[in-house]
Amino acid sequence: MADELRVEIRRYEKADHDAVMALAPRLTEGVAAWRDSIAVADAACGWVRDSVRRAEDDRTTVFVAEDAGGVVGFVSVTERSHFTGETDGYIGELVVAHGRERLGVGRALIEAAESWAKDRGHARITLETGAANTNARRFYAALGYSEEEVRLSRAL
């Protein structure tokens, strides 16, 4: 898995900014086809920009996966209030570079995010992904994640 690939999981540093931002467009995958692709891409870049800006905050962090060639993935994790009043760990973005999927990079990043949340006393960690992002949904299910909510949409 990730160890065999010699991937290091570490905290984001400002020097990682360009590499992390270059991976942000992967977050557009699995978004409903009827959504404006330019608006989706802008939003994805904005989410990542916000996450790395808050990475120094004690309530948010970003982990990067790095190999000899550079940054090959990242995950952001923060705290988020659930409507029940509980505070969960929350994975905002998880991205693995093209060609690095299914090699353990994503799993190693998720483990870092889960460890961060657990160390802060959270009983749960949550995330969201597009309904059409079947690869991501299968990945998360294989890690033991259960679907909790469903958002429905209808054209008017």
Side-chain angles (χ1 to χ4, degrees), residues 76-125:
S76 69
V77 61
T78 190
E79 298 175 337
R80 185 184 232 189
S81 294
H82 187 265
F83 68 83
T84 60
E86 296 174 88
T87 301
D88 297 328
Y90 177 75
I91 295 172
E93 302 89 26
L94 171 67
V95 178
V96 175
H98 281 289
R100 302 304 298 213
E101 306 95 333
R102 295 179 176 86
L103 298 174
V105 175
R107 181 180 297 268
L109 286 164
I110 289 289
E111 288 171 358
E114 290 174 345
S115 179
W116 182 91
K118 189 175 181 180
D119 288 349
R120 280 155 185 72
H122 299 300
R124 301 198 67 76
I125 191 162

Side-chain angles (χ1 to χ4, degrees), residues 133-150:
N133 196 346
T134 55
N135 287 337
R137 291 174 68 197
R138 279 193 293 263
F139 169 74
Y140 294 125
L143 294 178
Y145 284 74
S146 298
E147 293 185 4
E148 181 176 2
E149 298 177 25
V150 176

